[in-house]
Each structure stands twice: as structure tokens, then as C-alpha cells.
Amino acid sequence: MADIPNQMSPGQFTTPKRPLTWLITGCSSGLGLAIARLVQEQGHFVVASSRDPSKTPALVAEIEGDNKSTGLWIQLDVTDLNSGDVVERLESERGIQIDVLVSNAGASIHSVVESFTEDEARRQMDILYFGPFRLIRAAVPRMRRRGFGIVVNISTGAALEGRESMGTYASGKAAADALVKVLAKEVAAFNIRTLTVHLGTFNTNMPKAAIAGANAIPACYQDSIAAKTIQVMSEGVLAARGDANKAAMQIVDVAMGQGAGAGHEGEFFLPLGEEMPARIKLVRDRLDHCLQVYGAVCTDVKLDKAG
């Protein structure tokens, strides 16, 4: 198989010269809300969603306005097995065709790997992997038939290098990242592009929404980084280093191929957060080190040619 670059040719993607329709999950606060507000300000139509819109009536009223001409707020639980049906309903009942899908909804459970329950692991995968998968599976065929689409996957630096206490969170995000990597290669020929955003820490509701696992961790972990992280996350006091509104601006610009994204429409990844350069370098250095140590072994296992 030929080597596949980490980007597609920017010239192979075109964007319609019209307002786009965005479906964004997890809009009740934080980054999802910031993206929804920004794209609406830029003249696009927003379908914002949350699990329980009744909890945020003021936000619903803000996005929908007086006549829902520039925005709509819908109830959407991405863990629902039928959550992908929302794409069909929007199209058949309201004539709304999704141009940009932003999978932002998330939640985190913290423990050491050996102490997570099966239900906790499955819950994380349902939110972080199966939720985006269901919406992608529903939206992409329609994007493909129309000859345009953008899939934005909101991920985390923890999916790149792993973080103590984040075994199920990091793996759920990493699974979605891998899904979108493959998707990008499969759908580029249909003028559908993808963007995975690897985030550092931002001033969102994520720390306050984080919970500790149901099982107490073994005593031998009590002084570990994992234990300290669990305490910080369960107390909701993680110190944010990034501004969600600034992050939203960069995400929208890069997704749309404007601002920092102009001429870079073929890029797969967007790291955001001042911690991210060091985290990316750590992953790169580990892989380089692995090749230095095992390079000869790696290539010394080829099948011998028959005599």
C-alpha cells in the first residue's frame, strides 16, 4: 500500500457560496454553545442540541430568536440508539439539510483502569464513540449525495498521549478519532472533509461535569497522579488555560477554510491549547524513541522468499 499523507490536497475541496447549516451537539454550555453562537453570528443556520433543552430556556430563546429563521434548538441524547434518526427528521419534516456536523457532546468518568466498572466503560464509549458514529452514519450519506459536507470531531489531548485517571475517557475519544481518520480518506473524493480538534484545558463546564468512578481506587494508588487528578476533577477545580470563545473562533475558521484555515482545507487535525505543542512533541518523541530501540527488530520479521 502506498504511503498516505496526513492531509488531503486543499484544492480538492470546495465550499458552497451560501450560508451553511450546522448541527452541533452539546450546546447547553461551553464550547458547543460558543460555536453555535459564532456560526450564527457569521450568518449560518444553527441546529443546536442538548439532552434537556428545558433546563436552558434562555439559551433556546437566544438561538431560535422570534421565528427560528436563523436557528433551531432540538432535544438530542447522543446515547440514544436511534439518535441518528434526527438527521432524517430534520430533512423530511423541516427541510433542513446538514452541511456541517460538529460532535461536541461529552462527559468524563475518572478512576484507575482496574477500577472502572463495565457500565462506566460502556457509558463513556456510548457518549464519546457511538454517539458521533450514529450521527456520522446518518449525515454522511446525505452529504455524499449532495457533494459537500464537513465533519468536525471535538477530541482531547488525552486521546493522544493518555492521562492518568482518564482510561475510559481517553480511549473513547481515541476511538472516535480513529473512526474519523478513516472516514476522511473514504469520503474526500465526495468533497467531504473532516477536522479533529485536539483540545487542552478550556474554561468550559467539563470539570464540573466530571465524576469519579463508583469503585474506590485501591489504597496503593492514593498518592499517585491518578488519585490527585480524580480529586481535582471530582471537585470541579481544574485550572483552565484556554478561552472557549477563542477556541470556537479557530475551529469555525479552520472548518470553513477562512482565517487560519485559508488554504489548509485538507488538514485533518487542529491542536488548540497552550499545553498541546508539548503533548504532541511527547507523542512524537515516544514513537521516534520506539523506532530507535526496535527499528531493526521491526523490519527483521519479513517473510522469507521461497527458495
Side-chain angles (χ1 to χ4, degrees), residues 25-26 49-53 74-86 89 105-106 123 126-127 130-132 134-135:
T25 67
S49 69
S50 60
R51 284 180 298 174
D52 188 356
I74 62 172
Q75 189 280 329
L76 178 60
D77 182 351
V78 299
T79 67
D80 186 330
L81 294 178
N82 298 311
S83 56
D85 292 350
V86 69
R89 288 198 304 273
R123 194 187 324 162
D126 219 15
I127 296 171
F130 284 106
R134 292 177 188 120
L135 292 172

Side-chain angles (χ1 to χ4, degrees), residues 232-279:
V232 168
M233 296 303 291
S234 18
E235 291 175 352
V237 293
L238 179 69
R241 298 170 68 178
D243 184 314
N245 289 319
K246 292 180 179 178
M249 184 173 296
Q250 297 300 338
I251 291 167
V252 173
D253 276 356
V254 173
M256 291 294 297
Q258 60 195 28
H264 301 293
E265 292 86 348
E267 295 291 339
F268 293 157
F269 309 114
L270 172 63
L272 288 177
E274 63 179 13
E275 316 99 307
M276 289 308 301
R279 295 172 81 169

Side-chain angles (χ1 to χ4, degrees), residues 42-288:
Q42 293 187 4
H44 303 288
F45 187 89
V46 175
V47 180
S49 69
S50 60
R51 284 180 298 174
D52 188 356
S54 67
K55 291 184 177 180
T56 58
L59 296 180
V60 173
E62 174 191 339
I63 293 297
E64 294 192 339
D66 294 331
N67 55 12
K68 302 181 182 178
S69 61
T70 61
L72 175 69
W73 197 297
I74 62 172
Q75 189 280 329
L76 178 60
D77 182 351
V78 299
T79 67
D80 186 330
L81 294 178
N82 298 311
S83 56
D85 292 350
V86 69
V87 177
E88 165 62 25
R89 288 198 304 273
L90 286 168
E91 191 164 321
S92 63
E93 297 174 10
R94 297 176 179 268
I96 295 173
Q97 298 180 337
I98 304 304
D99 298 306
V100 187
L101 170 63
V102 182
S103 289
N104 168 73
S108 61
I109 304 172
H110 296 260
S111 187
V112 294
V113 169
E114 67 181 80
S115 294
F116 282 109
T117 68
E118 180 89 4
D119 285 346
E120 287 168 345
R122 288 182 180 277
R123 194 187 324 162
Q124 288 277 257
M125 290 301 292
D126 219 15
I127 296 171
L128 305 175
Y129 173 77
F130 284 106
F133 167 69
R134 292 177 188 120
L135 292 172
I136 286 170
R137 189 173 57 179
V140 163
R142 291 170 169 81
M143 292 176 174
R144 175 170 48 75
R145 289 193 289 269
R146 293 193 295 269
F148 171 73
I150 304 172
V151 175
V152 180
N153 170 42
I154 304 298
S155 187
T156 170
L160 295 175
E161 98 283 22
R163 284 281 168 163
E164 295 89 337
S165 87
M166 301 185 188
T168 57
Y169 177 70
S171 56
K173 286 290 193 181
D177 295 354
L179 179 77
V180 174
K181 282 181 191 176
V182 175
L183 176 71
K185 297 170 184 176
E186 293 173 344
V187 300
F190 309 115
N191 196 34
I192 301 172
R193 62 182 186 265
T194 75
L195 179 68
T196 291
V197 184
H198 290 290
L199 296 175
T201 55
F202 283 83
N203 59 338
T204 69
N205 196 47
M206 195 70 176
K208 293 181 180 178
I211 61 172
N215 292 333
I217 65 173
C220 57
Y221 285 107
Q222 290 304 322
D223 294 323
S224 67
I225 294 174
K228 293 174 183 175
T229 305
I230 292 167
Q231 181 177 359
V232 168
M233 296 303 291
S234 18
E235 291 175 352
V237 293
L238 179 69
R241 298 170 68 178
D243 184 314
N245 289 319
K246 292 180 179 178
M249 184 173 296
Q250 297 300 338
I251 291 167
V252 173
D253 276 356
V254 173
M256 291 294 297
Q258 60 195 28
H264 301 293
E265 292 86 348
E267 295 291 339
F268 293 157
F269 309 114
L270 172 63
L272 288 177
E274 63 179 13
E275 316 99 307
M276 289 308 301
R279 295 172 81 169
I280 291 172
K281 184 176 184 300
L282 175 64
V283 175
R284 186 186 65 203
D285 289 351
R286 283 175 176 167
L287 291 173
D288 286 342

